[in-house]
Amino acid sequence: MSDQISLIPNNSLITATPEEGRQLAVKLARLIIKVTQPDAEIREKLRPKYAEDAGFLIAIGQTVATEFATIAAANNYWK
Amino acid sequence: MSDQISLIPNNSLITATPEEGRQLAVKLARLIIKVTQPDAEIREKLRPKYAEDAGFLIAIGQTVATEFATIAAANNYWK
Amino acid sequence: MSDQISLIPNNSLITATPEEGRQLAVKLARLIIKVTQPDAEIREKLRPKYAEDAGFLIAIGQTVATEFATIAAANNYWK
Amino acid sequence: MSDQISLIPNNSLITATPEEGRQLAVKLARLIIKVTQPDAEIREKLRPKYAEDAGFLIAIGQTVATEFATIAAANNYWK
Amino acid sequence: MSDQISLIPNNSLITATPEEGRQLAVKLARLIIKVTQPDAEIREKLRPKYAEDAGFLIAIGQTVATEFATIAAANNYWK
Amino acid sequence: MSDQISLIPNNSLITATPEEGRQLAVKLARLIIKVTQPDAEIREKLRPKYAEDAGFLIAIGQTVATEFATIAAANNYWK
């Protein structure tokens, strides 16, 4: 793991709205891919595979859903 | 991630009924696919793959189940 | 998503017993498949694939387990 | 779903010990396979596939872990 | 399921430390594989497949993570 | 499982910040791979497979998300 890559923007799970929480979930999921594959060129080469494969798109959705569950709990569901 | 795509309709996890919560879970799952693959034409091409493949259909169900768990908790299970 | 398909029978997560909660979990999982593939004929064609493939059977079990976790929490574990 | 198949033995998530809770998790996972594929002959044919395939064995473990999480919570972790 | 195989060592989810909780999570995951495939010889044959396949290693990690979530909650996160 | 491998650095789930919690989640996920495949040479051989395969990268993300959920709860979401 490269210490240079921040894994959580602003080092916080707290967001003002559910929408921002959802965007954070997407970012958290992407940053794990970045830290596992720090080479930007390889990531760029893999990106169309994610985005044009039905199975990968669903799997990304599953990961985001799991990240979002944590963020939503951290924000007490923005109640 | 395109900032133009809203990831949570009405920016809220709160729904009047479990049925509406379930519909929201389906929408949240689809919006992640949309934000990961913003090209509508490619999504349209992928859509039959989701809908006619037993494995993908089950995987979509798994993602919706995870999204729904969060929404149900946010609504205190509509109790 | 077709608005005609009800995603939660009786629009409620509350059941009298764990057994009924489990049956509801199975139904919720199936209704997501139905809403993603509304064509009954295609679903019928896919059904043997689910039921005669070890990997799909396990994956269905995983989805039902996730749905049941939510239903069980909603019913406070029928305590 | 066949109404004849009981999905939860004794219609209860409560067990005396963690060990019994774990056994219940295994049973719940198996009963979903049974209700999805009610034909005992086909299940018997599939059984070696589960038990001799590394990927299936891991996937069964994932499902049991998810079922057990619910059962453990229902029993307040046997504290 | 063979009744001879204990699924939870010491029949308890409580551990003195997070490290021991993690070791228990690994054991729980392995014991499900053992109970699903009780034949030690077949398990030995499958073991290199787990340990030398990137996908299986990740999947084992997912299962251990799920088991650990339950154990950590049972121990109130060792706080 | 080799007793020599520590599965949780510092034997604690508590971290000062969300960022450190996220780094811990990545480490926990990697340590399970290490304990399942203790041979460093084989792990090195597998590493490019993880890092250059879209499906594996997503699956690692799913595992980290699950580990992080536990760590975040243990830290009461750093509130």
Side-chain angles (χ1 to χ4, degrees):
Chain A
M1 181 174 48
S2 162
D3 287 323
Q4 285 90 333
I5 298 175
S6 158
L7 295 178
I8 301 186
N10 304 316
N11 200 358
S12 171
L13 298 179
I14 306 305
T15 69
T17 64
E19 177 73 25
E20 289 176 28
R22 196 78 177 161
Q23 291 174 349
L24 179 57
V26 172
K27 282 181 198 152
L28 292 194
R30 291 187 181 174
L31 286 166
I32 292 304
I33 290 178
K34 193 172 176 183
V35 85
T36 307
Q37 178 45 270
D39 185 326
E41 207 175 319
I42 296 177
R43 285 202 312 274
E44 277 313 299
K45 234 173 49 190
L46 292 175
R47 186 150 172 76
K49 296 202 186 177
Y50 294 115
E52 295 174 24
D53 180 292
F56 289 158
L57 283 171
I58 299 169
I60 288 169
Q62 178 64 37
T63 302
V64 170
T66 306
E67 301 286 13
F68 185 63
T70 302
I71 293 166
N75 286 278
N76 197 27
Y77 305 99
W78 297 275
K79 284 197 264 210
Chain B
M1 181 175 46
S2 161
D3 287 323
Q4 285 89 334
I5 298 174
S6 158
L7 295 177
I8 301 186
N10 305 316
N11 200 358
S12 171
L13 299 179
I14 306 306
T15 68
T17 64
E19 177 73 25
E20 289 176 28
R22 196 77 177 163
Q23 291 173 349
L24 179 57
V26 173
K27 281 181 200 153
L28 292 194
R30 291 186 182 174
L31 286 166
I32 292 303
I33 291 177
K34 193 172 176 183
V35 85
T36 308
Q37 179 44 270
D39 185 325
E41 206 176 321
I42 296 177
R43 285 202 312 273
E44 277 313 298
K45 235 173 49 192
L46 293 174
R47 186 150 172 77
K49 297 202 185 176
Y50 294 115
E52 295 175 23
D53 180 291
F56 290 159
L57 282 171
I58 299 169
I60 288 169
Q62 179 63 38
T63 302
V64 170
T66 306
E67 300 287 12
F68 184 63
T70 302
I71 293 166
N75 287 279
N76 196 27
Y77 305 101
W78 297 275
K79 283 197 266 211
Chain C
M1 182 173 48
S2 161
D3 287 323
Q4 287 90 334
I5 297 174
S6 158
L7 295 178
I8 302 186
N10 304 316
N11 200 358
S12 171
L13 299 178
I14 306 306
T15 68
T17 65
E19 177 73 24
E20 289 176 27
R22 196 78 177 161
Q23 291 173 349
L24 180 57
V26 172
K27 281 182 200 153
L28 292 194
R30 292 187 180 172
L31 286 166
I32 292 303
I33 291 177
K34 194 171 175 183
V35 85
T36 309
Q37 179 45 272
D39 184 325
E41 207 177 321
I42 296 177
R43 285 201 314 274
E44 277 313 298
K45 235 172 50 190
L46 293 174
R47 185 150 174 76
K49 297 203 185 176
Y50 294 114
E52 294 174 24
D53 179 292
F56 290 158
L57 282 171
I58 300 168
I60 287 168
Q62 179 63 37
T63 302
V64 171
T66 306
E67 300 287 14
F68 184 64
T70 302
I71 293 165
N75 286 279
N76 197 28
Y77 305 100
W78 298 276
K79 284 198 267 212
Chain D
M1 182 174 46
S2 159
D3 286 323
Q4 287 90 333
I5 298 174
S6 158
L7 295 177
I8 301 186
N10 305 316
N11 200 357
S12 171
L13 298 178
I14 306 306
T15 69
T17 65
E19 177 74 24
E20 289 176 29
R22 196 78 176 159
Q23 291 174 349
L24 180 57
V26 172
K27 281 181 200 152
L28 292 194
R30 292 187 181 173
L31 286 165
I32 293 303
I33 291 177
K34 193 171 175 183
V35 84
T36 309
Q37 178 46 271
D39 185 326
E41 207 177 320
I42 296 177
R43 284 200 314 273
E44 278 313 298
K45 236 173 47 190
L46 292 174
R47 184 150 175 76
K49 298 202 185 175
Y50 295 115
E52 294 173 24
D53 179 292
F56 290 158
L57 282 170
I58 300 168
I60 287 168
Q62 178 64 37
T63 302
V64 171
T66 306
E67 300 285 13
F68 184 63
T70 302
I71 293 165
N75 286 279
N76 197 28
Y77 306 101
W78 298 275
K79 284 198 266 212
Chain E
M1 182 174 48
S2 161
D3 287 322
Q4 287 91 333
I5 299 174
S6 159
L7 295 178
I8 301 186
N10 304 317
N11 200 357
S12 172
L13 299 179
I14 306 305
T15 69
T17 64
E19 177 73 25
E20 289 176 29
R22 197 78 176 160
Q23 290 173 351
L24 180 57
V26 173
K27 280 181 200 153
L28 292 195
R30 292 187 181 173
L31 286 166
I32 292 304
I33 291 177
K34 193 171 176 184
V35 84
T36 309
Q37 178 47 270
D39 185 326
E41 207 176 320
I42 296 176
R43 285 201 312 274
E44 278 313 299
K45 235 172 48 190
L46 292 174
R47 187 152 171 74
K49 298 203 185 175
Y50 294 116
E52 296 173 22
D53 180 291
F56 289 158
L57 282 171
I58 300 169
I60 287 168
Q62 179 64 37
T63 302
V64 171
T66 306
E67 300 286 13
F68 184 63
T70 302
I71 293 165
N75 287 278
N76 197 27
Y77 306 100
W78 298 275
K79 285 198 265 211
Chain F
M1 181 174 48
S2 161
D3 286 323
Q4 286 90 332
I5 299 174
S6 159
L7 295 177
I8 301 186
N10 304 316
N11 200 358
S12 172
L13 298 179
I14 306 306
T15 69
T17 63
E19 177 72 26
E20 289 177 29
R22 196 77 176 161
Q23 290 174 350
L24 180 56
V26 172
K27 281 182 199 152
L28 291 195
R30 292 187 181 173
L31 286 166
I32 292 304
I33 290 178
K34 193 172 176 183
V35 85
T36 308
Q37 178 46 270
D39 185 326
E41 207 176 320
I42 296 177
R43 284 202 312 274
E44 277 314 299
K45 235 174 47 192
L46 292 175
R47 188 153 169 73
K49 297 203 186 177
Y50 294 116
E52 295 173 23
D53 180 291
F56 289 158
L57 283 171
I58 300 169
I60 287 168
Q62 178 65 36
T63 302
V64 171
T66 306
E67 300 286 13
F68 184 63
T70 301
I71 293 166
N75 287 278
N76 196 27
Y77 305 100
W78 298 275
K79 284 198 265 212

